Amino acid sequence: QGGESGDIITTLEPTVQSELERALANYDKDWHPGKSGGIIMDPKTGEIIAMAVSPTFDLNFFNTQSDPIIFANSMVQNVYEMGSIMKPLTMAAGIDSGSITPTTTYNDAGCITVDTKPICNFDLKARGVIPMQQILSQSLNLGALFIATQMGPTVMRDYFLNHYKFNEETGIDLPGETRGLTKNLASDRQVEFDTAAFGQGLAVTPIEMARALAVLANGGLLITPHFVKAVREDTGLTRTLEWGIPEQVLKPESVLEVTRMLTTVVDTALANGQIKLEHYSVAAKTGT
């Protein structure tokens, strides 16, 4: 602008970026997916520490690529049904709205029919009367459905669209960002909300999902993901960029409860607790 120029200072950490690319290469070798990708973001600031997609291309030889689709960044330009990693957000909405508490129990029947549609747990098995923790520990579809039913369409729609903002672009400073496909939530049919509760029937971008999950790690604040932290102008001055004021979309006490539940998942449920870390608490949820 106005003939000014300068250097942009990014948030990327080269060693972390390299490690992410190595991790994706190893994943590809073991599982042979059509595409894989990852995002590492500071949940308090929205700074992107690393982002990668595989297969990728070499900018020095971009003219050797025959399929232009490889130039797209599917972390911000493609939408996916995210599956079970949606369950912590459903849990958080249920707790934050007062529809459930961490000590609430429900009777898990294994399979039920909602609006003529059969919905089942992944293994079709019933669990009987169990607490909310087991929804995350055992990744139970019927548990997520129970929370959605307790909230009802109006409350759940409000959380997914107005709190997590799955129908909006994140505003990340990358070209071609897409917003989520959330038209199922315009319906009042309970089945649409029950399936959305475990990540099916609505599709969002990976960066939208990362931003929403970051709410659980930063006291309930919705931040703006970004790559550029400052501009160093030719004059020698460095101008730090502002990325808006984070929006409080969940109560801090609500996300603390869900974080504790997700830490319990890692410490007790994932590989029967064999992968927990001795000196660190990790909150995580498996996906499908």
Side-chain angles (χ1 to χ4, degrees), residues 84-129:
S84 291
I85 60 172
M86 193 67 77
K87 288 170 183 168
L89 297 175
T90 301
M91 182 71 71
I95 291 173
D96 197 70
S97 64
S99 303
I100 59 165
T101 73
T103 58
T104 298
T105 61
Y106 78 106
N107 185 14
D108 189 296
C111 288
I112 66 169
T113 299
V114 181
D115 294 334
T116 74
K117 304 287 186 181
I119 300 178
C120 297
N121 290 327
F122 68 93
D123 57 3
L124 311 181
K125 294 180 180 177
R127 267 71 175 180
V129 178

Side-chain angles (χ1 to χ4, degrees), residues 24-208:
L24 291 178
N26 290 333
Y27 180 83
D28 292 352
K29 183 179 177 181
D30 291 341
W31 297 99
H32 310 292
K35 182 180 291 184
S36 61
I39 300 169
I40 300 174
M41 183 178 75
D42 184 329
K44 290 184 170 58
T45 65
E47 292 186 352
I48 302 293
I49 308 302
M51 180 184 288
V53 178
S54 178
T56 187
F57 61 95
D58 187 336
L59 271 173
N60 296 307
F61 305 103
F62 72 92
N63 59 329
T64 64
Q65 297 296 330
S66 59
D67 187 356
I69 197 67
I70 199 170
F71 299 128
N73 182 352
S74 52
M75 297 295 97
V76 300
Q77 293 178 268
N78 291 11
V79 297
Y80 305 92
E81 290 183 281
M82 288 293 177
S84 291
I85 60 172
M86 193 67 77
K87 288 170 183 168
L89 297 175
T90 301
M91 182 71 71
I95 291 173
D96 197 70
S97 64
S99 303
I100 59 165
T101 73
T103 58
T104 298
T105 61
Y106 78 106
N107 185 14
D108 189 296
C111 288
I112 66 169
T113 299
V114 181
D115 294 334
T116 74
K117 304 287 186 181
I119 300 178
C120 297
N121 290 327
F122 68 93
D123 57 3
L124 311 181
K125 294 180 180 177
R127 267 71 175 180
V129 178
I130 53 172
M132 295 295 96
Q133 176 65 51
Q134 292 306 312
I135 298 173
L136 299 178
S137 294
Q138 298 187 51
S139 199
L140 301 174
N141 292 345
L142 290 197
L145 177 156
F146 169 80
I147 299 171
T149 303
Q150 293 301 108
M151 283 191 284
T154 301
V155 171
M156 184 168 166
R157 182 187 300 114
D158 180 47
Y159 274 87
F160 274 52
L161 302 187
N162 299 327
H163 293 237
Y164 303 138
K165 300 188 188 299
F166 280 137
N167 61 337
E168 299 180 19
E169 297 169 6
T170 67
I172 191 171
D173 47 346
L174 288 175
E177 184 182 7
T178 303
R179 67 184 63 187
L181 300 179
T182 60
K183 66 179 185 298
N184 284 16
L185 300 186
S187 165
D188 278 330
R189 291 204 315 156
Q190 187 62 45
V191 67
E192 307 291 0
F193 295 85
D194 290 345
T195 53
F198 51 86
Q200 296 181 17
L202 79 167
V204 301
T205 61
I207 193 63
E208 281 182 309

Side-chain angles (χ1 to χ4, degrees), residues 263 266-268 270-280 282:
T263 302
V266 176
D267 288 349
T268 64
L270 290 183
N272 294 316
Q274 295 177 31
I275 62 173
K276 68 178 178 181
L277 301 180
E278 184 179 358
H279 299 293
Y280 297 92
V282 177

